[in-house]
Amino acid sequence: MSKRVALVTGGSGGIGTEVCRQLAAAGYLVVTTCLDPEREDIAGWQSALEADGLAVDWIQCDVADFESCQGMAETMLARHGRVDVLVNAAGITRDAFIHKMAKHNWDSVISTNLTSAFNVTRQFIDGMREQGYGRIINISSVNGQSGQFGQTNYSAAKAGLHGFSMALAKEGARKGITANTVSPGYVDTAMTAAIPAEVREQIVAQVPAGRMGRPDEIARVVVFLAAEESAYINGANVPVNGALFTSF
Ligand code: CAA
């Protein structure tokens, strides 16, 4: 069989890059979506991975926009034929207490972090059903499980993402399709670097592990869930948070 094909949204981000790197190293042909090739320096991203012998491609797409996702899917299928693994990793923060939150910052977080999962999955679900195989992995957050100051938008979107996984898991179970969530804690990326330093230090002080997570610690869980052998793990939410939030 030819290489399995993986599509990772937000693949040039902190966690996304490591997901792409590890999937490619595990033998997948990996494609990422990219909103703004120049701002994200996607050419530099691609050459850095290719320099390490990893096969990666990218397609421009606004995951918050359904029509843009339709166009991306046409390109994806024309170039690579199918999608076996879909990782919905695109995400943004627009933190503010709700009494200060602008409506557009609610809308942009919900559409980029949650509606995007529908917009992208909808494009490839028929193909996965036809081929009788699919691995869908949604990147949520500890803050979708526990809530966080300044994140009514983000926490709502990330909690919603696991609801999406659970329903999708039931729909796909007899078609060889699994859907799972990975919920990272505070991981050392540009997103957490943007938290005011004092607040970030307070948060990290509350992490029982005593440190932030690393992107590779998230990516290894994604690769595990993406494997053919993980067929019976379906509808799960895997926390990777240094024990910041535990639940039964
Ligand atoms: N824990 C306890 N108290 C907190 C708090 C927290 N995490 N965050 C804010 N507060 C308290 C402040 O101490 C302050 O208290 P006082 O009024 O008694 O002094 C009060 O809330 C107001 O805080 P600010 O002065 O900071 O208010 P602000 O309006 O300027 O900003 C904020 C509020 C946007 C929430 C800001 O504090 C902030 O950015 N916090 C970080 C939010 C966060 O954790 N974001 C995660 C981003 S990374 C991510 O999302 C990745 C992931 O998946 C984990």
Side-chain angles (χ1 to χ4, degrees):
M1 185 185 171
S2 56
K3 273 189 170 194
R4 291 256 189 230
V5 179
L7 176 66
V8 181
T9 72
S12 65
I15 291 177
T17 296
E18 197 54 37
V19 168
C20 291
R21 192 172 271 285
Q22 289 195 21
L23 282 171
Y28 296 84
L29 190 155
V30 178
V31 183
T32 185
T33 62
C34 160
L35 177 61
D36 182 337
E38 270 182 38
R39 196 170 51 78
E40 292 170 45
D41 184 23
I42 200 73
W45 173 91
Q46 185 171 23
S47 1
L49 270 72
E50 283 176 352
D52 291 337
L54 304 170
V56 288
D57 187 13
W58 61 273
I59 302 171
Q60 189 167 7
C61 173
D62 178 358
V63 293
D65 182 289
F66 189 78
E67 282 175 15
S68 175
C69 292
Q70 282 178 313
M72 175 274 289
E74 279 167 24
T75 307
M76 178 74 199
L77 296 175
R79 279 192 209 163
H80 302 294
R82 63 178 200 280
V83 170
D84 301 300
V85 175
L86 168 61
V87 184
N88 289 307
I92 57 169
T93 53
R94 295 289 181 270
D95 293 354
F97 276 100
I98 192 162
H99 58 272
K100 297 183 189 169
M101 189 178 287
K103 168 81 163 72
H104 67 89
N105 283 337
W106 170 269
D107 291 339
S108 57
V109 168
I110 298 295
S111 49
T112 304
N113 296 13
L114 177 60
T115 309
S116 61
F118 169 77
N119 290 344
V120 178
T121 305
R122 183 67 186 84
Q123 311 305 327
F124 300 107
I125 198 73
D126 287 342
M128 287 183 177
R129 287 169 66 88
E130 276 158 29
Q131 70 195 14
Y133 186 84
R135 297 279 178 269
I136 298 167
I137 298 145
N138 297 310
I139 307 299
S140 179
S141 163
V142 64
N143 293 343
Q145 300 179 286
S146 64
Q148 175 60 305
F149 289 83
Q151 291 204 305
T152 50
N153 51 3
Y154 187 88
S155 297
K158 293 297 193 181
L161 211 42
H162 185 52
F164 178 75
S165 293
M166 290 191 293
L168 196 53
K170 291 189 193 290
E171 291 187 13
R174 292 203 182 185
K175 297 281 179 191
I177 303 168
T178 65
N180 292 289
T181 303
V182 177
S183 287
Y186 281 76
V187 177
D188 194 5
T189 62
M191 185 181 272
T192 52
I195 303 171
E198 257 184 50
V199 181
R200 194 175 55 245
E201 279 161 26
Q202 269 176 34
I203 293 169
V204 176
Q206 289 162 16
V207 180
R211 64 169 176 88
M212 284 196 165
R214 297 188 313 267
D216 65 282
E217 293 175 306
I218 311 304
R220 70 195 303 273
V221 181
V222 175
V223 175
F224 175 77
L225 293 171
E228 222 170 304
E229 296 78 2
S230 296
Y232 207 60
I233 307 173
N234 203 359
N237 187 357
V238 184
V240 193
N241 65 29
L244 177 59
F245 175 77
T246 53
S247 69
F248 186 60

